[in-house]
């Protein structure tokens, strides 16, 4: 099939307009799923030297092109560069438990630590982008997730009660770090990125993980600092956040975000997201990860054709993809059925 | 409720662990029995915390802080309850299933179960089916709770139930399940005894399950 990628379709989505053809979008695709589909193993090259990295991204970007995306999603997560990282996964304490830990944490080294890893990857990615494509992403993780990694979710709840001043300073310090990281990112890579994004899971099945009041007081102001930098650099911004976060959506929309990603059917149907916010921002995704895991490729295809046609009709800016990501446990055939459904919709529209 | 018990109750609601600790000491010194303090102050307070969570007044951190305050009281009461031969409401084994690392929900369910008066044995995350089977043999719990947050790991719930059946233990325990992708329909489909969508309902469900 003769597919010409064009990131302008995604830019149209970000302007909350209906692009000429239905674009695909994915937050993350496990390289293991890519390997299975491409029939070539390359995932491990991401850990290798510069020429390995070049080869990794050649395969990585080629995959997005072959699957008929207009942009290549990529981020380098911050958590991995944090000394003492791991509390976000649970089962351990983070490196900051009290003021002394906070004071002696090597905050000033974090930017360099991050870019020591990230620069090589971003540079290799930028080189690999096929004609007509740009990258979509940036610095992985958001303010809340970093606090979960530095302190630990449960310990953070205790810190909030026991030392509210430290709790407040922690968020401000994380905000400073992100501002520095994003400024450098925008300076060096914005030309190659069509859209910037960060992911910060604020919710779960029944509500936000911390109260809306805490989010407004400590998290939103830091988002504002980051998002204003991104917008000043002329880049659209999309926010990825899981869970039932309706109570803070208006606050985040007020920061000038252009789009939102992540949805789960057990929380709300995707049409509810469109009905609530479709006038104001673009909405990406729509297909619950469960659907891709639990159905036959045939029924996924039919279901996605039906749902994506509906979403494209309802929303202004919409791009089709999973509600979260394609982790390694999503069957390759299930994922491919979704991609084929997108292509089918495009063909149908083109033939009318 | 006496003023002293009221103070403990409020202390749990406000998540004030030192107030709860001191309150329990005071109550014991003024001849309130350990089980009276547990049943008339700590348990109702945690149940109220659960209701506030369900109503969206409290969030996970507020629950954790309240649970910590309750535990400050329990730390004093537990040895006395054991000494006095007071039976806990029941015994629960809990774990997040194999391949799954999500633990916040499971920990919260654990705390609410403890708050409701259960003894809880927490197997942690990424728990293999045979570990669940062993734990049933070792601890003889009334209830087994499984948490799963991923579609794939949810699919191991029926595998675990099958392993429990194979070991001839299915009639010994009630099985409750929960987590982001889990629904009541799914629980019915895999033959679990119950499902709850949040930690507070999980504790209530565990209590009513015992009566069945
Ligand atoms: C925080 C989070 C993480 C954290 C986990 C931190 C930790 N220490 O647990 C991190 C970042 C590590 C993580 C990792 C991943 N995650 Co995650 N995560 C979440 C998130 C945002 C919140 C989960 C949470 O903590 N909730 C808070 C607690 C309080 O809620 P809960 O767990 O639902 O529990 C409540 C009830 O369900 C119930 N309950 C829970 N257990 C039980 C048990 C019983 C017996 C009962 C009765 C009730 C009950 O009571 C609890 C309290 O009220 C969810 C989104 C969501 N909708 O849940 C995604 C989510 C679960 N994650 C998801 C994914 C895809 C992943 C990753 C694969 C991401 C990736 N691409 O690598 C990895 C997998 C790691 C692994 N192997 O487990 C997807 C799963 C999709 C699917 N259907 O398979 C979700 C649903 C997000 C989405 N939008 O789709 N994640």
């Amino acid at each position: 099939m003769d597919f010409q990628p064009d990131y302008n379709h995604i830019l149209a989505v970000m302007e909350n307009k209906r692009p000429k053809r239905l674009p695909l979008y994915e937050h993350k695709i496990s390289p293991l799923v890519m390997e299975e589909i491409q029939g070539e193993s390359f995932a491990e090259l991401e850990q290798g030297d510069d020429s390995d990295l070049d080869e990794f991204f050649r395969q990585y970007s080629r995959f997005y092109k072959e699957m008929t995306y207009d942009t290549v999603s990529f981020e380098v997560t911050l958590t991995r560069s944090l000394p003492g990282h791991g509390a976000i996964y649970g089962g351990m304490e983070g490196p900051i438990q009290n003021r002394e830990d906070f004071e002696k944490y090597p905050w000033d080294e974090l930017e360099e630590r991050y870019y020591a890893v990230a620069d090589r990857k971003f540079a290799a990615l930028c080189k690999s982008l096929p004609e007509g494509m740009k990258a979509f992403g940036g610095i992985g993780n958001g303010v809340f997730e970093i606090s979960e990694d530095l302190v630990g979710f449960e310990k953070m709840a205790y810190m909030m009660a026991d030392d509210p001043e430290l709790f407040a300073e922690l968020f401000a310090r994380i905000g400073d770090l992100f501002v520095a990281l994003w400024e450098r990112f925008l300076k060096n890579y914005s030309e190659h990125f069509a859209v910037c994004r960060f992911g910060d899971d604020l919710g779960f099945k029944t509500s936000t993980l911390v109260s809306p009041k805490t989010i407004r007081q400590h998290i939103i102001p830091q988002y504002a600092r980051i998002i204003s930098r991104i917008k000043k650099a002329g880049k659209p911004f999309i926010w990825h956040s899981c869970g039932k976060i309706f109570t803070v959506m208006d606050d985040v929309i007020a920061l000038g975000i252009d789009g939102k990603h992540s949805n789960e059917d057990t929380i709300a149907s995707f049409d509810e997201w469109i009905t609530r916010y479709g006038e104001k921002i673009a909405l990406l995704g729509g297909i619950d990860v469960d659907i891709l895991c639990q159905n036959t490729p045939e029924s996924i295809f039919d279901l996605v054709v039906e749902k994506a046609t509906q979403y494209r009709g309802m929303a202004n800016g919409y791009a089709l993809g999973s509600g979260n990501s394609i982790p390694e446990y999503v069957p390759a055939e299930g994922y491919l059925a979704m991609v084929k459904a997108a292509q089918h919709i495009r063909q149908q529209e083109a033939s009318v | 409720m006496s003023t002293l018990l009221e103070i403990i109750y409020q202390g749990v609601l406000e998540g004030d662990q030192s107030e709860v600790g001191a309150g329990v000491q005071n109550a014991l010194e003024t001849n309130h029995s350990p089980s009276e303090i547990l049943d008339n102050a700590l348990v109702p307070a945690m149940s109220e915390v659960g209701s506030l969570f369900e109503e969206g007044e409290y969030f996970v951190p507020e629950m954790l802080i309240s649970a910590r305050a309750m535990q400050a009281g329990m730390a004093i009461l537990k040895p006395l309850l054991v000494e006095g031969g007071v039976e806990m409401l029941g015994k629960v084994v809990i774990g997040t299933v194999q391949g799954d690392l999500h633990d916040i929900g499971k920990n919260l369910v654990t705390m609410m179960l403890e708050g409701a008066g259960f003894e809880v044995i927490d197997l942690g995350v990424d728990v293999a089916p045979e570990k669940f089977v062993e734990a049933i043999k070792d601890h003889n719990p009334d209830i087994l709770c499984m948490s799963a947050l991923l579609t794939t790991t949810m699919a191991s719930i029926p595998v675990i139930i099958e392993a429990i059946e194979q070991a001839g233990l299915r009639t010994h325990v009630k099985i409750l399940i929960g987590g982001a992708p889990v629904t009541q329909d799914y629980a019915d489909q895999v033959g679990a005894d119950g499902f709850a969508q949040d930690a507070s309902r999980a504790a209530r469900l565990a209590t009513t399950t015992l009566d069945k």
Side-chain angles (χ1 to χ4, degrees):
Chain A
M1 191 189 32
D2 187 26
F3 173 78
Q4 291 305 321
D6 181 357
Y7 68 86
N8 286 303
H9 290 120
I10 288 289
L11 288 182
V13 171
M14 288 299 123
E15 286 170 22
N16 207 20
K17 293 187 183 138
R18 193 167 297 129
K20 286 202 198 73
R21 67 165 144 76
L22 171 66
L24 278 162
Y25 172 73
E26 213 47 71
H27 182 68
K28 243 184 230 173
I29 302 172
S30 164
L32 298 176
V33 176
M34 296 184 183
E35 281 186 347
E36 195 181 331
I37 293 171
Q38 314 250 78
E40 263 178 274
S41 62
F42 68 96
E44 279 186 8
L45 296 175
E46 198 183 354
Q47 316 313 327
D49 61 18
D50 286 354
S51 71
D52 288 342
L53 264 188
D54 284 343
E55 177 57 15
F56 174 82
F57 281 106
R58 195 183 66 77
Q59 299 269 14
Y60 186 92
S61 295
R62 183 175 74 117
F63 178 87
Y64 275 91
K65 181 175 175 193
E66 283 180 5
M67 293 298 115
T68 68
Y69 289 84
D70 295 299
T71 48
V72 178
S73 294
F74 184 72
E75 64 183 19
V76 178
T77 50
L78 172 57
T79 47
R80 285 178 198 282
S81 299
L82 300 174
H85 145 73
I88 190 168
Y89 301 123
M92 67 179 268
E93 267 185 4
I96 298 179
Q97 295 301 316
N98 50 45
R99 180 157 293 277
E100 196 192 335
D101 297 341
F102 176 73
E103 305 286 352
K104 69 167 200 257
Y105 197 68
W107 293 102
D108 295 339
E109 293 166 21
L110 299 181
E111 184 183 331
E112 291 315 316
R113 281 178 71 108
Y114 177 79
Y115 279 108
V117 178
D119 272 332
R120 290 178 60 229
K121 294 192 180 179
F122 286 137
L125 166 75
C126 293
K127 272 197 286 181
S128 75
L129 293 169
E131 207 190 317
M133 297 186 91
K134 284 199 179 197
F136 191 128
I139 298 160
N141 305 119
V143 177
F144 180 62
E145 289 184 354
I146 294 306
S147 75
E148 285 179 286
D149 205 30
L150 289 177
V151 183
F153 182 74
E154 287 166 31
K155 294 294 164 120
M156 202 159 54
Y158 303 149
M159 184 187 281
M160 194 166 88
D162 301 340
D163 195 344
E165 262 174 38
L166 176 59
F167 185 79
E169 281 176 55
L170 174 78
F171 280 97
R173 192 68 191 80
I174 294 172
D176 294 345
L177 172 63
F178 270 118
V179 166
L181 291 172
W182 273 104
E183 281 182 342
R184 184 153 155 188
F185 175 87
L186 290 165
K187 192 165 128 242
N188 293 338
Y189 304 109
S190 64
E191 180 195 333
H192 301 280
F193 276 73
V195 184
C196 294
R197 71 155 198 233
F198 63 71
D200 204 21
D201 290 347
L202 292 188
F204 69 107
K205 197 169 182 168
T206 51
S207 76
T208 48
L209 282 158
V210 296
S211 70
K213 182 167 162 255
T214 305
I215 293 174
R216 286 184 193 118
Q217 204 173 344
H218 299 288
I219 298 174
I220 303 270
Q222 305 311 326
Y223 280 6
R225 295 172 68 197
I226 303 165
I227 294 168
S228 70
R229 259 74 174 185
I230 294 171
K231 303 294 298 202
K232 221 157 111 196
K235 292 287 145 187
F237 173 79
I238 180 169
W239 183 49
H240 166 101
S241 191
C242 295
K244 192 167 185 178
I245 53 172
F246 294 130
T247 47
V248 295
M249 271 302 292
D250 287 338
D251 300 81
V252 181
I253 290 175
L255 301 178
I257 65 166
D258 301 285
K260 157 78 176 60
H261 176 252
S262 187
N263 67 280
E264 286 163 70
D265 292 345
T266 54
I267 294 172
S269 64
F270 195 66
D271 15 319
E272 186 178 339
W273 283 94
I274 299 176
T275 311
R276 283 191 187 216
Y277 308 111
E279 284 297 314
K280 293 184 187 146
I281 54 166
L283 293 157
L284 284 70
I287 308 299
D288 195 301
V289 178
D290 277 22
I291 291 178
L292 302 179
C293 292
Q294 289 182 334
N295 297 284
T296 61
E298 297 73 35
S299 60
I300 292 171
F301 178 87
D302 292 344
L303 209 75
V304 175
V305 168
E306 186 198 317
K307 282 185 181 260
T309 306
Q310 182 204 346
Y311 301 153
R312 179 159 158 84
M314 274 177 86
N316 298 318
Y318 172 66
L320 165 64
S322 78
N324 182 272
S325 58
I326 306 296
E328 63 282 2
Y329 62 77
V330 171
E333 324 76 78
Y335 163 72
L336 283 173
M338 176 176 71
V339 171
K340 289 204 182 100
Q343 293 163 354
H344 177 80
I345 294 173
R346 290 172 187 163
Q347 274 163 6
Q348 272 191 326
E349 288 183 352
S351 66
V352 178
Chain B
M1 203 187 297
S2 80
T3 327
L4 273 176
L5 295 188
E6 178 68 27
I7 289 172
I8 299 170
Y9 179 92
Q10 279 304 330
V12 172
L13 279 194
E14 283 153 24
D16 188 335
Q17 52 176 346
S18 49
E19 186 157 294
V20 173
V24 168
Q25 282 299 0
N26 281 342
L28 287 169
E29 280 159 22
T30 49
N31 293 327
H32 288 81
S33 75
S35 45
E36 188 191 352
I37 300 171
L38 179 68
D39 295 341
N40 297 338
L42 293 179
V43 170
M46 276 314 280
S47 154
E48 175 62 13
V49 167
S51 303
L52 291 168
F53 177 71
E54 281 173 41
E55 288 159 18
E57 284 288 313
Y58 272 26
F59 292 82
V60 180
E62 287 76 16
M63 271 182 112
L64 291 170
I65 297 162
S66 284
R68 181 179 64 165
M70 184 225 36
Q71 280 159 354
M74 276 308 282
I76 304 169
L77 292 183
K78 218 172 184 172
L80 303 173
L81 290 165
V82 172
E83 208 174 278
V86 177
E87 294 252 332
M88 298 298 280
L89 190 56
K91 199 193 273 185
V92 179
V93 163
I94 192 167
T96 301
V97 303
Q98 194 161 44
D100 202 320
L101 303 174
H102 295 84
D103 70 351
I104 300 171
K106 177 214 30 112
N107 294 350
L108 213 56
V109 172
T110 302
M111 288 173 190
M112 288 308 291
L113 287 169
E114 285 174 346
F118 284 91
E119 178 188 354
V120 185
I121 294 136
D122 183 355
L123 305 179
V125 297
D126 193 14
V127 180
E130 57 276 14
K131 280 263 171 62
F132 280 111
V133 173
E134 265 168 48
I136 299 173
K137 285 184 188 153
D138 293 349
H139 301 288
N140 193 24
D142 304 288
I143 299 173
L144 174 70
C145 284
M146 291 186 268
S147 183
L149 276 274
L150 304 174
T151 302
T152 35
T153 59
M154 175 173 84
S156 71
I157 291 174
V159 177
I160 297 166
I161 296 181
E162 175 64 24
I164 294 168
E165 248 161 36
Q166 291 289 326
L169 297 166
R170 182 64 186 92
T171 52
H172 297 216
V173 278
K174 299 283 186 193
I175 297 178
L176 307 183
I177 63 174
V182 181
T183 58
Q184 182 64 53
D185 281 351
Y186 188 75
D188 296 340
Q189 189 190 319
V190 300
D193 297 300
F195 154 82
Q197 69 156 350
D198 64 40
S200 163
R201 290 183 174 91
R204 264 207 314 273
L205 174 68
T207 312
T208 53
T209 301
L210 277 190
D211 300 335
K212 284 186 189 152

